[in-house]
Amino acid sequence: MFRNNSWLYSAEDFVTENVDTYLKELESDSIYIFREIVAQFERPVLLFSGGKDSITLVHLAKKAFYPGKIPFPLLHIDTGHNFPETIAFRDALNAELGTTLIIGSVEESIKNGRVQEELGFYASRNKLQTTTLLDVLEKNQFDCAIGGARRDEEKARAKERIFSHRNEFGEWNPKNQRPELWNLLNGHKQPGEHFRAFPISNWTEEDVWNYIKAENINLPGLYFSHERKVFERDGQLLADAGLIQMKDNEQSKIMTVRFRTIGDITCTGAMISSATTVDEVILEIAGSLTSERGTRSDDKRTETAMEDRKKSGYF
């Protein structure tokens, strides 16, 4: 027991109080970043995937500009191979917020000859999103794309600044990033260039889930344990939704799984789990020995897969 100002606290109370204080500090930093984005850029847009990180961004943006509305649109790059639950959640949230939702279609990019559909057992539309994203940013003259990337996710994302510069071709140079000392963010750019901004860059996966718990944020059911038809490939469980060409030795079966990250069905791996509540998910994460992107097959194509995609303009 701890005595403080004549009150007795248990060890659990002490930990809870410190976690709440820590989350408030993270929230405050993120709100500051959102306000800096609106102050420094003329046409920002929030990249919305329907995943927990982009949902958390929307929640933070609501707080940052309350009682006003979120002062920028949401942008979803739709591969055409998204989980139906993700699309349903996206549309319901947008209707609730009353925001402008812009949808960039990879399917349209393929039809228009902007990108070529991959073929074979490992075909995915995930990489194709880059061209669609850059086309939408240029068409709408967006000068800052706000994303939910976090430094703890992957080694390439650990190199990102909070304000991450992109050249006139949408390319990222990890060796040419600006220092961010004393929370000073530099959004100066030349015509045709833009920035990516990451308000929760310094958060961890566990931070996000603790914040979701504290703020009672609603999420798609994909993040919690449910029965789904899956099959195993290269040590990963992939959803059998009729979008992946299966090999002769691969068979699908119903398993109890959940997803730690949500993306294109063709590259988003599931994990065996019995976690049906936020508290159970937090306990599961605390005991995990792999990062959440350890279930993403697109990150395993090469050692530098994520960094290569980011250099060409990926999220």
Side-chain angles (χ1 to χ4, degrees), residues 9 12 58 74 78 94-95 111 118 143 161 163 165 187 190 194 206 237 241 243 248 259 274 297 305 308 310 312:
Y9 292 93
E12 183 178 352
V58 169
L74 309 185
D78 184 357
N94 185 62
K111 289 179 180 178
E118 293 183 0
D143 55 0
R161 295 290 193 263
F163 276 16
H165 175 264
Q190 298 298 323
H194 75 276
E206 195 167 352
L237 294 176
L243 297 173
D248 292 339
F259 294 88
S274 60
S297 62
D308 292 340
K310 287 181 71 62
S312 64

Side-chain angles (χ1 to χ4, degrees), residues 135-151:
D135 286 348
V136 174
L137 294 180
E138 182 177 4
K139 178 182 177 181
N140 292 275
Q141 296 184 319
F142 291 127
D143 55 0
C144 180
I146 308 164
R150 306 187 323 273
R151 289 183 175 131

Side-chain angles (χ1 to χ4, degrees), residues 48-266:
F48 186 80
S49 68
K52 69 181 188 312
D53 297 318
S54 61
I55 292 169
T56 298
L57 283 183
V58 169
H59 185 83
L60 288 164
K62 286 168 60 179
K63 283 198 165 189
F65 304 106
Y66 181 83
K69 290 187 176 182
I70 297 175
F72 38 74
L74 309 185
L75 169 59
H76 180 221
I77 303 301
D78 184 357
T79 66
H81 291 170
N82 295 99
F83 289 95
E85 297 95 325
T86 304
I87 301 300
F89 188 94
R90 177 200 71 187
D91 293 342
L93 180 62
N94 185 62
E96 176 189 332
L97 293 172
T99 51
T100 299
L101 174 64
I102 299 170
I103 300 175
S105 171
V106 174
E107 185 77 44
E108 287 299 315
S109 295
I110 294 171
K111 289 179 180 178
N112 293 334
R114 294 286 294 143
V115 292
Q116 185 173 352
E117 183 92 77
E118 293 183 0
L119 302 174
F121 294 116
Y122 293 90
S124 172
R125 289 184 174 181
N126 192 55
K127 186 178 179 180
L128 306 186
Q129 294 180 88
T130 300
T131 298
T132 306
L133 171 62
L134 294 177
D135 286 348
V136 174
L137 294 180
E138 182 177 4
K139 178 182 177 181
N140 292 275
Q141 296 184 319
F142 291 127
D143 55 0
C144 180
I146 308 164
R150 306 187 323 273
R151 289 183 175 131
D152 77 317
E153 287 182 278
E154 204 271 343
K155 57 189 177 182
R157 284 184 166 165
K159 299 178 182 179
E160 289 275 21
R161 295 290 193 263
I162 292 172
F163 276 16
S164 185
H165 175 264
R166 298 298 195 272
N167 67 18
E168 64 270 29
F169 302 107
E171 298 168 333
W172 172 63
N173 182 354
K175 296 180 180 180
N176 186 28
Q177 295 295 305
R178 299 165 184 183
E180 293 178 339
L181 306 175
W182 305 291
N183 290 330
L184 297 176
L185 304 174
N186 184 354
H188 179 73
K189 59 179 179 57
Q190 298 298 323
E193 299 176 343
H194 75 276
F195 274 78
R196 307 290 169 85
F198 305 109
I200 60 172
S201 181
N202 291 327
W203 296 39
T204 67
E205 181 186 13
E206 195 167 352
D207 292 336
V208 173
W209 277 101
N210 277 315
Y211 188 73
I212 287 167
K213 175 185 175 181
E215 297 290 305
N216 195 28
I217 299 173
N218 191 31
L219 294 177
L222 291 163
Y223 281 109
F224 303 99
S225 177
H226 61 283
E227 288 190 342
R228 183 174 294 270
K229 186 185 291 187
V230 297
F231 68 96
E232 184 175 352
R233 173 178 291 176
D234 300 333
Q236 290 186 306
L237 294 176
L238 296 172
D240 180 8
L243 297 173
I244 305 174
Q245 183 181 348
M246 295 176 64
K247 300 177 182 179
D248 292 339
N249 63 340
E250 294 173 338
Q251 292 185 337
S252 62
K253 55 183 177 180
I254 301 291
M255 297 183 70
T256 302
V257 300
R258 75 174 191 88
F259 294 88
R260 286 177 73 180
T261 177
I262 295 177
D264 189 275
I265 289 177
T266 58

Side-chain angles (χ1 to χ4, degrees), residues 2-25:
F2 300 90
R3 184 175 294 276
N4 184 8
N5 295 331
S6 301
W7 291 91
L8 289 175
Y9 292 93
S10 67
E12 183 178 352
D13 290 334
F14 182 78
V15 170
T16 300
E17 181 177 324
N18 278 272
V19 169
D20 289 344
T21 301
Y22 175 61
L23 290 176
K24 286 299 181 184
E25 290 175 354

